[in-house]
Amino acid sequence: MSMTYEEARAALAAKTLAEQDLARIATCPPWRHAAFAVLETALVCSPLVPVGGRYAILAALFVGIILIVRSDRRRLGVFVNGYRRGRTRLVVMPLLMVVIGLYVLSSLAALEWHMPWISVVCAAITFPACYFGSMIWQQVFRRELGL
């Protein structure tokens, strides 16, 4: 069964309208950006604690992710994965590389070099990088959807 030109055009218009509606409601409150930043920061500073504590931090991170997903679904009706296709990847990939780099540096500093202050510095860099990265991601997402 094929669509007529008018049906295809109406479907495309409905899709565009739905994307614009999502873009309008997809403004996260500051606490949501901070929650993401706290999770990433906890990961980066996790090498500072003994192994058992690291496992506890990882468990708390998974719980935090679940809570964020649930909160987004309640607030927006949907959870938008940060690794989605589109221009947002131009924000996510560099941010991911920064966080991985900071985690590796933190791990080396705390576990190999016995210089825990470097891990603290890495954590201090991670929070604002992730907070503002999340805000930039949101702006790119909204722009991509038509706002």
Side-chain angles (χ1 to χ4, degrees), residues 46-59 111:
S46 66
L48 287 171
V49 298
V51 174
R54 279 183 247 148
Y55 289 130
I57 289 172
L58 286 176
L111 304 173

Side-chain angles (χ1 to χ4, degrees), residues 20-33:
Q20 289 173 344
D21 286 345
L22 178 58
R24 269 192 283 286
I25 65 169
T27 302
C28 294
W31 69 261
R32 172 60 175 77
H33 299 294

Side-chain angles (χ1 to χ4, degrees), residues 16-116:
T16 302
L17 185 60
E19 287 175 345
Q20 289 173 344
D21 286 345
L22 178 58
R24 269 192 283 286
I25 65 169
T27 302
C28 294
W31 69 261
R32 172 60 175 77
H33 299 294
F36 168 71
V38 163
L39 293 178
E40 298 297 321
T41 303
L43 179 66
V44 169
C45 69
S46 66
L48 287 171
V49 298
V51 174
R54 279 183 247 148
Y55 289 130
I57 289 172
L58 286 176
L61 292 175
F62 286 121
V63 169
I65 291 167
I66 291 167
L67 292 175
I68 286 174
V69 170
R70 283 185 176 175
S71 172
D72 284 1
R73 285 189 176 147
R74 250 181 301 188
R75 198 169 33 83
L76 305 173
V78 67
F79 174 75
V80 180
N81 185 330
Y83 298 102
R84 59 182 287 283
R85 274 186 287 174
R87 290 189 175 114
T88 53
R89 280 199 185 161
L90 298 175
V91 177
V92 169
M93 295 317 280
L95 184 59
L96 182 61
M97 294 299 109
V98 166
V99 172
I100 290 171
L102 290 167
Y103 177 76
V104 168
L105 180 59
S106 175
S107 295
L108 288 171
L111 304 173
E112 295 292 324
W113 305 332
H114 306 289
M115 300 173 77

